[in-house]
């Protein structure tokens, strides 16, 4: 009986050790998995919430609350961007397409093109005075001295630029660069 009891105790002890070993192994596997998952986080470029991506930039399309160019610029700055300015035909058309999907009535929005120089009132630059490397002026434009540029529909032409007084009110589009956005993070 003592031999049987000894064997039974040894067997029970051996079973407990095996169970603890299996639990330890399970725990090690779980820790290893979680460690690999957290180290496999990738930094991807993404747009801020509410902004739309087009190639390497993000755009905030603001419709339904027309405002002056200066207030549009201020709002863009407060939202972490600047007033949009297309750099080529593809971006020009892409921005217009993004806008057109959201626009209800007004089919015009401010862009960062302005004539600031009193001596050259029809020379358009950015607000910071940088030369415009690309333009999409409608025929006969610009023609308003010291005006501001908008893009949109004008007498049947679409995605063209037209200049008008800066105190008129239109929709606007802000732009910003893509931002780092960590993917693969756990929220617990």
């Amino acid at each position: 009986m003592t031999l049987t009891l000894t064997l039974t105790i040894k067997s029970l002890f051996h079973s407990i050790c095996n169970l603890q070993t299996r639990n330890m192994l399970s725990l090690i596997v779980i820790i290893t998995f979680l460690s690999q998952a957290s180290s496999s986080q990738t930094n991807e470029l993404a747009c801020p919430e509410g902004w739309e991506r087009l190639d390497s930039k993000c755009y905030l399309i603001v419709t339904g609350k027309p405002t002056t160019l200066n207030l549009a610029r201020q709002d863009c700055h407060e939202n972490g961007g600047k007033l949009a300015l297309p750099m080529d035909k593809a971006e020009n058309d892409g921005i217009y397409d993004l806008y057109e999907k959201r626009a209800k009535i007004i089919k015009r929005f401010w862009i960062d093109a302005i004539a600031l120089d009193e001596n050259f009132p029809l020379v358009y630059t950015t607000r910071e005075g940088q030369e415009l490397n690309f333009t999409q002026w409608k025929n006969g434009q610009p023609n308003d001295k010291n005006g501001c540029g908008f893009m949109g529909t004008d007498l049947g032409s679409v995605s063209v630029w037209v200049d008008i007084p800066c105190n008129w009110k239109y929709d606007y589009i802000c732009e910003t660069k893509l931002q780092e956005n960590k993917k693969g993070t756990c929220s617990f």
Side-chain angles (χ1 to χ4, degrees), residues 80-149:
K82 64 180 185 173
L83 203 56
L85 180 66
M87 293 294 148
D88 56 40
K89 176 90 170 108
E91 184 179 13
N92 190 81
D93 295 347
I95 292 171
Y96 184 80
D97 290 344
L98 288 175
Y99 173 77
E100 192 174 43
K101 290 176 187 173
R102 291 191 174 203
K104 302 291 185 236
I105 298 170
I106 298 175
K107 297 288 186 176
R108 297 174 173 175
F109 56 91
W110 292 115
I111 56 173
D112 189 16
I114 187 167
L116 295 170
D117 192 332
E118 293 292 328
N119 296 321
F120 301 98
L122 291 175
V123 175
Y124 279 73
T125 63
T126 67
R127 183 67 173 190
E128 290 77 30
Q130 297 171 335
E131 183 179 332
L132 302 178
N133 295 324
F134 166 80
T135 62
Q136 184 73 28
W137 295 111
K138 182 180 176 187
N139 287 337
Q141 297 289 323
N143 64 359
D144 282 328
K145 293 180 178 181
N146 301 109
C148 293

Side-chain angles (χ1 to χ4, degrees), residues 17-46:
C17 283
N18 283 339
L19 182 61
Q20 287 178 344
T21 302
R22 276 186 265 149
N23 284 344
M24 271 312 234
L25 287 174
S26 296
L27 186 58
I28 289 170
V29 167
I30 290 169
I31 290 171
T32 302
F33 174 76
L34 290 175
S35 172
Q36 289 174 348
S38 69
S39 68
S40 68
Q41 292 176 354
T42 57
N43 291 335
E44 294 182 3
L45 296 177

